[in-house]
Amino acid sequence: MSTKRSFQNETQHLHVLQWKAGGMSQAKKTQLQELLTTDNIDVFAVIEANLTEENLPYYQFPGYNMYLIPKFRQVASGFLTGVRVNLTSDFVILKEMCNTDDKSLRN
């Protein structure tokens, strides 16, 4: 299903969703898919997605390019981002998340 938007003589709006999920599940995936559709979301960010590269294929959303910063510790972490395929996007990790077990990084 493809939606074309005409922006001639219209104000352009970018609909963004941010969600602190505390770990993704199939039920949360379904809930997120409903939000993407009903609220016409262009870009979404799921914080504490708790996903790895291995399970990312199970969390795809049609019509979105998916980007992942995978979880890096046992508790919920990681960041899942989706951007509509008709929008130009570039995903660059500026700084890697570090291991919190490294005592030299603690105050």
Side-chain angles (χ1 to χ4, degrees):
M1 180 166 107
S2 176
T3 303
K4 292 186 179 183
R5 296 183 187 179
S6 173
F7 291 117
Q8 287 182 323
N9 301 322
E10 292 182 24
T11 303
Q12 296 181 16
H13 295 279
L14 185 67
H15 298 158
V16 178
L17 172 71
Q18 177 183 337
W19 184 23
K20 184 176 178 184
M24 288 296 289
S25 64
Q26 287 300 315
K28 289 181 181 180
K29 177 186 176 188
T30 300
Q31 184 180 6
L32 179 56
Q33 183 63 62
E34 290 173 4
L35 286 170
L36 297 177
T37 303
T38 59
D39 294 337
N40 200 24
I41 301 299
D42 297 306
V43 177
F44 67 90
V46 179
I47 299 142
E48 293 185 359
N50 205 33
L51 297 177
T52 62
E53 292 290 342
E54 292 78 30
N55 57 17
L56 181 60
Y58 302 106
Y59 291 91
Q60 296 297 307
F61 296 89
Y64 291 86
N65 290 318
M66 303 303 297
Y67 304 99
L68 176 68
I69 297 176
K71 73 175 190 169
F72 71 99
R73 55 186 183 179
Q74 294 299 320
V75 297
S77 66
F79 196 85
L80 178 67
T81 303
V83 180
R84 279 199 189 271
V85 295
N86 63 331
L87 296 175
T88 302
S89 62
D90 189 20
F91 188 77
V92 178
I93 297 175
L94 299 177
K95 182 176 179 183
E96 294 282 339
M97 291 189 271
C98 61
N99 184 343
T100 57
D101 292 335
D102 185 348
K103 292 176 181 40
S104 66
L105 300 174
R106 294 182 185 167
N107 293 331

